[in-house]
Amino acid sequence: MVASDVDGTLLGPSETLTERTLGMVRRVLGDDVPFVLCTGRPPRWIAPVAGPLGLTGYAVCANGAVLLDIGADTVVEVHGQLEPVLLHELASALDKALPGCRLAAERIETGPADHDLRNFVIEPDYHNPWGDDEGRVAMRGEVLGKPAIKLLVSRRGMTSEEMAGAVRAVLDDSVDVTYSSSGGLIELAAHGVTKALGLADIAERLAVPAEAVISFGDMPNDVEMLRWSGHGVAMANGHPEALAAADEVTGPVTEDGVAQVLDRWF
């Protein structure tokens, strides 16, 4: 089985799939080998990538919290929830560690995927490094008022690395902190909910052992997946944590690094 992160791994700065990458994924699928997207993206952001690639199987979304059946556009499994009491405790700690931060909550239920954003709730002035054009604006009490799979934290004027360091210093091990961009956004999830957890779920469903999985990634939210897979590959453009966790480093996304490695087998 082949598993790949999306942004910074399959998609470069232009956010388009190259012909070489498209052709290589088709070769993988043509050999009846599953190709799984493993991403921090929510289910609503999967179709623009899965469609051109011809993927209809499973995808790991929200950094392992959600298992999506792409063909049926249905959430089939949710791993881990942050309950409102914990969300409020986290918010208090975050205000001390990152004064001026803004919060957002990603909520997911099993069943048909949500595409109308009713389950993505953001505070006023919440900043998304991928664009501020989605999310239902609400006051903090509503953002924290229901179980969520992720609590997202933005802070203008800081990098994600700086934010993660400050937050980890004040939080206990009830949550894990990660990020997939350096643009001032971190993500908090229930402890142990990672891409590795979601990918292991899919591997079990498809009866594929971990040693028969090759995975690709570029950021700290890929580290556990790279370590869990039989062969973990980091992109040359990746974060130092991803590079250190990988068994191999391939070319950057701008040089079709994923395709370079897969060309050895397919």
Side-chain angles (χ1 to χ4, degrees):
M1 183 164 69
V2 178
S4 179
D5 171 52
V6 175
D7 300 287
T9 302
L10 285 179
L11 295 181
S14 66
E15 297 190 3
T16 58
L17 293 160
T18 68
E19 287 301 318
R20 184 179 182 186
T21 294
L22 288 167
M24 183 56 63
V25 174
R26 294 187 187 114
R27 284 161 61 181
V28 172
L29 297 175
D31 277 0
D32 293 326
V33 173
F35 192 101
V36 177
L37 300 177
C38 294
T39 177
R41 291 182 174 217
R44 61 182 176 275
W45 287 9
I46 296 300
V49 181
L53 291 171
L55 303 180
T56 58
Y58 293 117
V60 174
C61 306
N63 290 327
V66 177
L67 182 59
L68 177 71
D69 182 327
I70 298 172
D73 196 28
T74 298
V75 173
V76 296
E77 190 71 53
V78 176
H79 296 288
Q81 294 266 33
L82 301 173
E83 296 298 327
V85 171
L86 177 57
L87 289 172
H88 281 276
E89 293 174 353
L90 293 172
S92 296
L94 290 165
D95 282 337
K96 295 176 183 177
L98 300 172
C101 69
R102 295 294 181 265
L103 308 179
E106 186 80 59
R107 303 165 183 162
I108 295 286
E109 300 173 355
T110 56
D114 169 35
H115 295 284
D116 63 10
L117 301 181
R118 68 180 185 276
N119 284 329
F120 183 52
V121 188
I122 67 175
E123 279 193 296
D125 200 36
Y126 169 81
H127 171 63
N128 186 337
W130 292 284
D132 293 319
D133 58 349
E134 72 168 23
R136 179 168 61 86
V137 178
M139 301 309 293
R140 177 167 290 194
E142 184 176 351
V143 171
L144 305 176
K146 293 182 180 180
I149 55 165
K150 287 199 299 187
L151 182 66
L152 298 98
V153 188
S154 76
R155 175 62 163 81
R156 298 179 188 273
M158 294 182 70
T159 67
S160 303
E161 290 86 349
E162 292 168 340
M163 294 172 64
V167 168
R168 286 172 178 150
V170 300
L171 295 183
D172 60 25
D173 60 3
S174 62
V175 294
D176 291 338
V177 180
T178 191
Y179 51 95
S180 54
S181 161
S182 295
L185 181 72
I186 60 174
E187 303 176 15
L188 279 58
H191 179 61
V193 176
T194 67
K195 290 185 180 183
L197 176 68
L199 186 56
D201 187 333
I202 293 177
E204 182 177 358
R205 290 168 185 259
L206 300 180
V208 177
E211 55 267 25
V213 178
I214 180 171
S215 65
F216 297 85
D218 72 310
M219 290 296 285
N221 63 330
D222 297 311
V223 165
E224 292 84 2
M225 175 180 70
L226 295 174
R227 289 174 175 162
W228 176 86
S229 305
H231 192 69
V233 182
M235 312 300 289
N237 54 277
H239 190 279
E241 291 182 28
L243 298 176
D247 300 299
E248 177 183 356
V249 176
T250 185
V253 64
T254 52
E255 296 177 11
D256 298 302
V258 172
Q260 287 182 33
V261 173
L262 294 179
D263 191 51
R264 300 204 300 257
W265 290 287
F266 301 94

